Amino acid sequence: MDDFKTIIEPFRIKMVESIRMTNKEERIEYLKDAHFNPFLLDSEKVMIDLLTDSGTSAMSANQWAGIMQGDESYAGAKSWIKMRKVISDLTGFEFILPTHQGRAAERILYGYLGGKGKVFISNTHFDTTRANIEFSGAEAFDIPIKESEDPALYYPFKGNIDTLKLEQLIAEKGAEKISAVILTVTNNSGGGQPVSMANAISTSEICKKHKINFILDCCRIAENAYFIKHREKEFAHLTYKEIAQMMFSLTDGAIMSAKKDALVNMGGFLALKEEKLANECKNLLIITEGFATYGGLSGRDMEAIAIGLEEVFEADYLNYRIKSTSFLGEKLKELGVPLIYPIGGHAVYIDAKALYSHIPVDEYPGQALVCELYIMGGIRSVEIGSVMFGKYDENGKLIAAPKELVRLALPRRVYTQSQIEYVLEVFERILEHKSEVKGMKIIEEPLFLRHFTCKFERTN
Ligand SMILES: *Cc1c(COP(=O)(O)O)cnc(C)c1O
C-alpha cells in the first residue's frame, strides 16, 4: 500500500441524501425546544449525526441490488438460505437463528440460560445484554483488565477480560452457577477497545476446563480482527475473516447485532454449536420473533445482511474504517482535547470531566459538551457519564458515574473526510470558548434509562 497521509474513502458516492444547513441562532432555539437533550431533536435539525454507529451504515450498491432480490416466502426463503450459509461459513456453527436485532437474540439465549441464582461474566456487558440478564433474575459481572481504568494509558488490547479474576469468580460462585462467559468484541461500553486473540484463547481454555458456555458478542468482530492483525504479530499472516473464524472456533456460540458490522440498518442473529440448546432457543424464537427461517426479518433484510457480512471483511474497507476513526481521535488529541486512548474501532470518547474541569460532576460536564457540539456545529453526540449511569443516594444526592464521557460514534461509510475535518474545526471553537460553558441541571426525568427522555436547564 502507498504511504499517503490522506485516507481516501474506498468508495464513490452514487446516491446522496441532503443535509439541511442550519446556523447557530436556529440551533440555539432547536436545542431549547428539545430541552437540551439531543435525543429529543428531529434528525433533520442535525448536520453531522454521531449519536450512534448502530443501524446507521450506508449500504452498498450490491446490498441495494440484493434488496430487490429478497425472497419474502414465509418458510425456507432463498434469502434465508443465503444468509444462513454466510453466517455458518463465518462462525463455523451449524445452528443459526435470525432475529430482528441483537437484543432479541440476547433475550432468547440469556433468558433461557439465566434465571435467579445464575451468573454471567463478561469483559463488559453491553447495556441491553446486562438488562436481559438481570431481567431473567440472574447477575452480571464485568471484569475488564485493570489497564482499561486509565483513560490515557496506551495498551493495545484494552478490551480484554481479566482472566485471573475470571478464575477467582468461577471458584467463588461455583462453575455450575455460571450460565455463560460473554466476550464482547470490540468492547463497546469499554470505549470500542479490542480484545486480543491470546485473551480469547485463555478465556476459552478456562471455560472448557470448567464446562462453562463461552459466547461471543460479535457485533464488531471485523473491527476487532483489524486490531488483532495489526497489533498481535502471531496472527498478522491471516486475513481478517480468518482471524474472525479463529475467534468463533474458540466459543460455543455467538450473538450479533447486524446493525453494526453487518453494514445494515436492521437485523441480528444467534449462532450455536450445540443442537439441544439451539432447539430450545428455536422454540422461543418461534413464539416471540417469527418462524425459524426469518425470525422477524424480511427476506430483503436477510439478503442485505448476507452481502454486508462479506463486504465488512474487505481489507480496503477495514483499513479505511479503523484509520478514519483514529484520524478523528488523533487530530482531536493534537488539538489538546482529552480522550480515551488509544482510539477504538467505531468511536472516539472525549473525557468531558477533564475538558470542562470547572463544571462539577453533578452539573453534568458531558451533557454540557453534547449541547456545545450541537450549538456550535450542529453535531449530535451522546453523553456516557452521570446522565446515563448516575444514581441518587437516599438524600437525593447524585452518585456520579466513574467517568464523564462524550461519545462521537462514526456511522459506517456515511461521512467523508471533509465532514470529519469540519468536526475538528468545531472542536477548535469549543476549546476557544471552554471557560464560558455552564453546567446543566435535570428538571424532569423518568425512573429508568433517563438519558433518552430527561429534560435539562442550564445552571446559572
Ligand atoms: C448494539 C449492541 C447490542 C444490542 O444490539 P441491538 O441490535 O441494538 O439490539 C449488543 N451488544 C453490543 C456489544 C452492541 O453494541
Side-chain angles (χ1 to χ4, degrees):
M1 214 175 296
D2 301 327
D3 57 352
F4 290 108
K5 281 201 295 291
T6 310
I7 323 138
I8 64 165
E9 290 79 11
F11 47 80
R12 328 183 262 200
I13 297 168
K14 197 184 205 83
M15 192 168 59
V16 296
E17 190 180 2
S18 37
I19 297 173
R20 187 161 76 85
M21 296 294 152
T22 55
N23 62 39
K24 193 171 164 185
E25 284 67 45
E26 291 169 323
R27 291 191 297 265
I28 287 172
E29 286 309 308
Y30 296 154
L31 191 63
K32 217 182 277 167
D33 293 343
H35 308 280
F36 300 95
N37 184 349
F39 272 109
L40 303 177
L41 279 171
D42 294 343
S43 70
E44 62 157 21
K45 293 176 179 152
V46 175
M47 296 208 292
I48 306 280
D49 205 343
L50 307 182
L51 187 64
T52 177
D53 67 321
S54 179
T56 51
S57 301
M59 290 204 292
S60 65
N62 272 333
Q63 284 176 298
W64 281 109
I67 294 248
M68 295 304 292
Q69 301 283 340
D71 175 357
E72 306 299 344
S73 305
Y74 192 94
K78 270 195 305 226
S79 304
W80 155 245
I81 309 253
K82 185 167 165 185
M83 169 172 152
R84 185 183 60 188
K85 185 172 178 310
V86 170
I87 298 171
S88 268
D89 171 51
L90 174 64
T91 61
F93 299 128
E94 191 179 339
F95 305 101
I96 314 297
L97 281 64
T99 60
H100 81 276
Q101 59 184 94
R103 70 196 69 182
E106 292 178 333
R107 186 184 51 76
I108 290 170
L109 182 64
Y110 304 147
Y112 178 74
L113 293 176
K116 211 170 154 19
K118 290 293 173 81
V119 170
F120 290 79
I121 307 171
S122 176
N123 47 346
T124 310
H125 293 85
F126 181 65
D127 55 11
T128 60
T129 318
R130 173 175 287 277
N132 275 294
I133 288 169
E134 291 177 349
F135 189 71
S136 84
E139 273 185 296
F141 291 92
D142 291 339
I143 48 164
I145 52 166
K146 67 172 186 318
E147 286 82 353
S148 70
E149 284 162 26
D150 181 353
L153 173 80
Y154 182 89
Y155 189 77
F157 292 103
K158 258 180 161 172
N160 284 355
I161 190 168
D162 187 330
T163 49
L164 215 67
K165 275 201 195 138
L166 178 59
E167 285 276 25
Q168 286 165 358
L169 208 50
I170 294 170
E172 188 187 313
K173 302 282 170 189
E176 70 291 346
K177 287 228 176 83
I178 298 174
S179 298
V181 171
I182 304 166
L183 204 55
T184 311
V185 299
T186 55
N187 191 357
N188 184 1
S189 309
Q193 299 290 328
V195 174
S196 69
M197 189 68 83
N199 190 245
I201 291 171
S202 316
T203 308
S204 173
E205 283 165 359
I206 294 169
C207 289
K208 280 208 177 79
K209 187 170 76 190
H210 296 284
K211 298 195 172 56
I212 295 171
N213 289 308
F214 181 22
I215 304 295
L216 206 58
D217 181 337
C218 68
C219 298
R220 298 179 181 81
I221 183 92
E223 292 172 4
N224 199 80
Y226 179 93
F227 288 107
I228 289 178
K229 188 173 169 72
H230 296 275
R231 290 184 187 171
E232 217 175 350
K233 52 178 180 312
E234 303 90 302
F235 307 100
H237 63 289
L238 300 176
T239 64
Y240 297 119
K241 189 171 166 186
E242 286 165 349
I243 290 172
Q245 285 169 323
M246 182 172 177
M247 201 170 244
F248 282 114
S249 76
L250 300 167
T251 70
D252 302 300
I255 276 180
M256 184 172 199
S257 165
K259 299 171 75 172
K260 324 294 172 40
D261 268 355
L263 300 170
V264 294
N265 308 117
M266 190 51 73
F269 64 82
L270 171 58
L272 293 166
K273 186 154 85 181
E274 248 193 55
E275 187 167 14
K276 194 170 157 291
L277 179 59
N279 281 339
E280 298 290 350
C281 289
K282 198 193 282 182
N283 291 334
L284 296 171
L285 177 81
I286 296 171
I287 295 170
T288 58
E289 289 284 306
F291 184 57
T293 68
Y294 73 89
L297 294 170
S298 55
R300 53 184 175 270
D301 292 331
M302 296 193 282
E303 279 289 329
I305 292 171
I307 297 165
L309 275 176
E310 305 264 16
E311 288 179 354
V312 77
F313 287 102
E314 284 168 12
D316 289 343
Y317 163 74
L318 272 178
N319 187 48
Y320 141 80
R321 169 70 177 161
I322 304 299
K323 288 211 173 126
S324 57
T325 305
S326 84
F327 173 80
L328 172 61
E330 296 289 344
K331 292 282 174 193
L332 285 173
K333 191 163 183 266
E334 278 170 33
L335 288 177
V337 177
L339 40 74
I340 293 194
Y341 202 73
I343 309 303
H346 69 288
V348 175
Y349 291 72
I350 315 288
D351 183 349
K353 190 161 34 177
L355 179 69
Y356 292 145
S357 51
H358 61 288
I359 302 180
V361 290
D362 61 0
E363 292 182 15
Y364 307 109
Q367 193 65 26
L369 176 57
V370 162
C371 290
E372 281 304 292
L373 278 166
Y374 179 71
I375 288 172
M376 290 282 191
I379 299 165
R380 179 153 66 174
S381 56
V382 62
E383 193 261 15
I384 301 193
S386 293
V387 175
M388 197 179 268
F389 297 121
K391 297 199 164 81
Y392 295 110
D393 67 11
E394 60 271 26
N395 304 317
K397 201 173 157 341
L398 180 81
I399 306 169
K403 294 182 186 129
E404 304 296 332
L405 303 175
V406 168
R407 185 182 73 180
L408 311 173
L410 294 159
R412 294 168 181 78
R413 305 192 290 207
V414 170
Y415 292 116
T416 61
Q417 168 128 358
S418 70
Q419 288 165 326
I420 295 304
E421 277 164 2
Y422 166 80
V423 174
L424 292 167
E425 202 180 329
V426 172
F427 265 97
E428 284 175 26
R429 233 168 260 192
I430 295 237
L431 288 172
E432 280 164 32
H433 295 276
K434 86 176 176 183
S435 59
E436 301 152 30
V437 175
K438 297 207 172 91
M440 314 290 299
K441 62 178 178 226
I442 295 179
I443 53 162
E444 214 183 292
E445 61 182 299
L447 226 43
F448 296 105
L449 296 172
R450 66 176 179 174
H451 56 284
F452 287 122
T453 53
C454 68
K455 298 178 179 172
F456 298 88
E457 266 174 12
R458 286 199 196 279
T459 57
N460 295 305

